[in-house]
Amino acid sequence: MAVKTISRNFLKFLVVILAFQDVAAGVAGSIMADIIKAFPQYDPTIVMLVATFPGLIQIVPALFYGKLSKTFKKRTLLFVGLSLFIIGGVLPTFMDNLWLIIAMRGILGLGVGITMPLSVDVITDFFEGRERDFLIGFGTSTIACIGAIFFQLVGGILADAYGWHYGFLTYLFPIWILAITILYLPEPEKKQALEAAGSQSSQKVKLPKAIYWVSLRQIFYSALIFGYVTNISVVIQGDKLGNATEAGMAISIFTFGTLIAGFLFGKIKHKLPTMYLPLAVFITGIGMAICYFSPTLIMIFIGSVIGGFAMGIGLPGVFTRVSELTPVGASSSVGLVVAGQGIGGILGPFGFQMIQTLFNQDIGRFPLAVSAIGLFVLALIWAISVKKPNRDMGVSISQ
């Protein structure tokens, strides 16, 4: 069907709204206690795959997103990705078999692995410069966080009101995103121009090594942040600084910091064009350190908002940097960042467990200290690397 002509502001709305479901897999987390109770015959670790399996599976399409974007039109990928997301998300509502539910969550993960890099890719296709930077920050931080809050909140409300099955009905919500983008979002002209120039020459363009270095650092960044996500509630309740509700508030405040950062990412990147990424990693470490040393709940809240704000600069920063490093004609490389993020989330628990065993330490404050130190070291490495033009800054956008 013919795609209608739209205004530039409406185009901005369409490209950022694609990030709304980027972290929506968290619905299962908000109703996990009820799901565990529903399957007492299974070990809770197995049941938790309902929450963790999408993050594992999304790595697969994300790794191959560059090839997918060269083979298929963006609108086709959008339709397939969102359809898989909705189908895999909603069908567990009607299932009582745990393994079938986990399989459906895998289908949802396939959808996320396509739509998450796509949500950044279409921004870089339509916009450039500070406009692109703002939209990437606003989409990957602000809109994605609003989506996460929405899915977790509504999923929990539906589960409390009607039963845990109904929490999965929240995944019907993105149908309107699918409808409005398929109706109005045009196929990016940049892709069409490249195809017109001839695919043979495009295939010869290789990704610079700097992209792989940035993606590798994203693995460590995501893994180190894991120390906060899984231990902050242990610290708050274990040290009697608050109850479960206040522990949840800390994570919500962390998310709020990320949400706010999305508005300011473009300005920060413009002021610090080379050092915004290492600075974001360093400040994330400061947030972790404050939480580690914190004697009060208020201080933990302060550390959380600082760490969340810095992550709201770091995540879109990595996407933007990789987009800048990708030469015209090369396959899209934003999928590598999504894959790195997923790999870091999966390896993080094992890494922290190894370090805790090595130092004979338990969960709680110690992983926060490890996280802070690791982030400081990573920030230093990143700061040194961006000073080397042949490694991190040597490739600019081809004109």
Side-chain angles (χ1 to χ4, degrees), residues 41-64:
Q41 69 272 34
Y42 292 99
D43 187 281
T45 305
I46 299 296
V47 182
M48 286 181 185
L49 283 171
V50 174
T52 59
F53 198 52
L56 174 64
I57 296 300
Q58 76 180 49
I59 296 171
V60 178
L63 281 173
F64 296 99

Side-chain angles (χ1 to χ4, degrees), residues 80-97:
V80 172
L82 275 176
S83 296
L84 289 173
F85 178 88
I86 294 168
I87 292 169
V90 172
L91 284 183
T93 306
F94 313 101
M95 295 177 175
D96 289 306
N97 183 293

Side-chain angles (χ1 to χ4, degrees), residues 70 189-205 328-330 399:
K70 296 283 282 187
E189 293 180 1
K190 183 183 293 186
K191 178 177 175 63
Q192 293 172 349
L194 288 173
E195 288 174 345
S199 59
Q200 186 174 0
S201 59
S202 298
Q203 291 173 354
K204 294 180 181 179
V205 181
V328 172
Q399 301 295 331

Side-chain angles (χ1 to χ4, degrees), residues 235-243 246 294-297 300 365:
V235 172
I236 291 174
Q237 296 183 74
D239 292 357
K240 302 188 185 308
L241 301 179
N243 54 29
E246 288 163 325
S294 178
T296 66
L297 184 65
I300 284 181
R365 290 190 183 266

Side-chain angles (χ1 to χ4, degrees), residues 40-174:
Q41 69 272 34
Y42 292 99
D43 187 281
T45 305
I46 299 296
V47 182
M48 286 181 185
L49 283 171
V50 174
T52 59
F53 198 52
L56 174 64
I57 296 300
Q58 76 180 49
I59 296 171
V60 178
L63 281 173
F64 296 99
Y65 175 78
K67 292 184 178 179
L68 291 173
S69 65
K70 296 283 282 187
T71 305
F72 302 100
K73 292 183 177 181
K74 299 291 173 66
R75 284 165 53 81
T76 302
L77 291 176
L78 170 63
F79 179 79
V80 172
L82 275 176
S83 296
L84 289 173
F85 178 88
I86 294 168
I87 292 169
V90 172
L91 284 183
T93 306
F94 313 101
M95 295 177 175
D96 289 306
N97 183 293
L98 178 64
W99 295 109
L100 279 177
I101 292 174
I102 292 172
M104 291 303 103
R105 298 290 289 172
I107 292 175
L108 178 140
L110 289 176
V112 174
I114 295 173
T115 60
M116 189 181 289
L118 179 66
S119 66
V120 175
D121 204 17
V122 293
I123 292 174
T124 62
D125 279 333
F126 286 115
F127 301 95
E128 295 181 350
R130 296 183 67 177
E131 200 171 30
R132 174 204 61 203
D133 296 341
F134 170 77
L135 291 171
I136 290 179
F138 187 67
T140 60
S141 290
T142 303
I143 298 297
C145 284
I146 291 173
I149 294 169
F150 169 85
F151 279 101
Q152 290 173 9
L153 182 62
V154 176
I157 291 172
L158 289 174
D160 288 338
Y162 305 106
W164 65 267
H165 278 100
Y166 290 87
F168 292 105
L169 286 179
T170 314
Y171 290 110
L172 283 172
F173 185 79

